Amino acid sequence: MAEQNMNARSDRDSGIFIEKNGKGIDRIAGVISTAKTYIATLHGGDSMLSLADRASRALEKFLDTLETLCPEQETGPDRFRWTAAAHQSIRDFFEALCAADRAEPGCISVDVLARAGAETIRWGLVNRHAPDTRLWAWLGDLFASDYNEAVQQVRGASEAVAREYLRAIAYHAAALDQQTLKAGFAIARLIARLLPDLFMVREHVEGALYGVDVAQRGIPARLAKKSASFTGWWFVTAEAVDKLSEIHGSLVLGRTPDGLEHIDARELSSAVTHLRRQWSFNPPLRRHRRYPLNARLSVVRGYEQAMNLLVDDSTEAIAVGMGTWHITDMSLGGVGAITPRNIKVNVPTAGDLVAFCPEEGTQWHIGVVRRLRTTKSHIEIGIATLSTNPELARVDDGHRQRELCVCDPVRRGGAIRLLAPVGTLENDDPIFAMGENSVVHKLRPLGDALRGKSFDLRIYHVA
């Protein structure tokens, strides 16, 4: 009866915001209020339940409510505000648990503390923050106290601390910052299902993706292929990838595995595909070596703004907001840059199309923001280059003529990538482009158009 009363009261408190949100109430208010509600249960909840039970139930229900309050339509600003509220709220809940445990050691079970720590790490990643060194050190110390050097392997089906440490590492290795919020929830639920198939060992394992040196902060580090000399724990995903392949096979046949029915089918399929790609024996790797560079960088976000820069015939690319960003590294495939948080700048978000130009450069490049990370003092971005020599070309689809961005030289028999406003490149009929010396080329689409935030990208064969 006590448990039913607590559940009814919690559902009622959070349901206020869920019901009203359909009428336009801000979901962020729901996140903040729900956090306060569940934190309050730690101090003055049902007296018939122990603090340990109240804490465990409150944590799980809080996480479920976050998923319910997730925005239906995600935009860059909405995501920024919502994830900031969710991240701060789960951190407040975690700190409330730790404070209660310090006041009365042992009153909060270690599995609840470890789970709350892992979830705080998860929401830091979703919020695109740099890893919290103190939180990783705390979780690492908790793990090291239970597993000394005599232990050679731990699995996700093990005791609570090992399970939650592996959960945190799995979150770190899932590139949650690159996913939509709804996809992130699906990935988190999928990781929970895969925990028994994840493990860490102390000896070198071929195909291990991440290494963890618990004594040195405990933040997982991506391992290069030639990392046999690494000493520490090796994070192994091979068995989980096999399970993902089984789940993928079931989904292809139209069957949803038991325990995953409550996840939206499209989000589940996307989550499975993403984790298979991230955790496979040959995960996505950098194709080009990075070189450090000390120079300023101009970044202009948005399709229309970027195209406006290409219209300018000036030979010197004078950037809007020159000097706002500072390059940290550059390669043939892209650039990494950083800017202080206290500078007012129109910060792009992951998936944004941007034009960028190094200091004293004479050519705008076009790229897509793949990584965004925030620290206490700086904002970091990683941009994948689409074209180092983009040009506008006249393109005719038979109904109208417009100028579109050509990422590659237009040569007969070759392939080119076209950038255009959203919805422009969906037609599968050939189009025509004006090349050098007023030569008209027939372009046949290859594959489907890729949809970005403000643009379409499609590959065409030049006939």
Side-chain angles (χ1 to χ4, degrees), residues 79 121 152 200 219 362 374 377 410 424:
R79 179 195 172 102
I121 286 172
Q152 296 298 306
M200 292 193 303
I219 298 176
T362 58
T374 304
S377 59
V410 182
T424 304

Side-chain angles (χ1 to χ4, degrees), residues 7-72:
N7 289 344
R9 188 162 56 246
S10 300
D11 290 341
R12 183 173 66 250
D13 292 338
S14 60
I16 292 174
F17 295 96
I18 299 170
E19 180 180 356
K20 285 184 178 179
N21 189 74
K23 301 177 183 179
I25 299 299
D26 191 352
R27 291 175 183 249
I28 295 173
V31 171
I32 296 171
S33 180
T34 299
K36 292 179 179 179
T37 297
Y38 288 126
I39 291 174
T41 65
L42 302 178
H43 304 290
D46 197 316
S47 59
M48 298 184 67
L49 292 174
S50 67
L51 177 57
D53 287 338
R54 296 201 305 271
S56 177
R57 286 164 172 75
L59 175 59
E60 292 303 325
K61 293 186 73 63
F62 180 32
L63 295 173
D64 288 342
T65 305
L66 280 180
E67 186 167 4
T68 305
L69 291 170
C70 178
E72 292 295 332

Side-chain angles (χ1 to χ4, degrees), residues 22-23 72 83 129 140 156 165 170 180 236 250 286 308 336 366 395 430:
K23 301 177 183 179
E72 292 295 332
T83 55
H129 273 221
Y165 198 51
T180 65
V236 185
S250 297
R286 299 189 185 103
N308 287 339
I366 297 294
V395 177

Side-chain angles (χ1 to χ4, degrees), residues 315-454:
T315 58
E316 186 71 19
I318 302 175
V320 178
M322 173 63 81
T324 301
W325 294 90
H326 199 88
I327 298 174
T328 55
D329 57 77
M330 181 172 277
S331 73
L332 292 176
V335 61
I338 191 170
T339 189
R341 288 189 67 177
N342 60 353
I343 290 182
K344 293 183 179 180
V345 59
N346 188 13
V347 177
T349 60
D352 274 345
L353 184 78
V354 294
F356 61 100
C357 179
E359 181 180 14
E360 298 181 358
T362 58
Q363 176 68 52
W364 285 99
H365 300 183
I366 297 294
V368 175
V369 176
R370 292 302 187 196
R371 173 175 53 83
L372 179 71
R373 181 170 291 176
T374 304
T375 68
K376 291 182 179 179
S377 59
H378 289 83
I379 299 172
E380 304 171 7
I381 59 170
I383 302 172
T385 302
L386 286 177
S387 178
T388 58
N389 191 29
E391 294 183 351
L392 292 177
R394 282 182 291 167
V395 177
D396 194 328
D397 62 3
H399 300 283
R400 61 174 295 189
Q401 187 179 100
R402 68 181 82 200
E403 286 191 319
L404 300 181
C405 180
V406 180
C407 296
D408 312 285
V410 182
R411 297 192 179 97
R412 191 177 304 277
I416 63 169
R417 294 164 297 161
L418 282 184
L419 278 171
V422 170
T424 304
L425 304 179
E426 292 179 337
N427 196 311
D428 292 331
D429 295 332
I431 59 178
F432 299 87
M434 183 76 73
E436 293 181 358
N437 300 320
S438 299
V439 176
V440 176
H441 297 279
K442 187 175 185 178
L443 308 180
R444 296 185 181 276
L446 300 175
D448 296 328
L450 300 177
R451 175 66 52 83
K453 286 187 176 180
S454 61

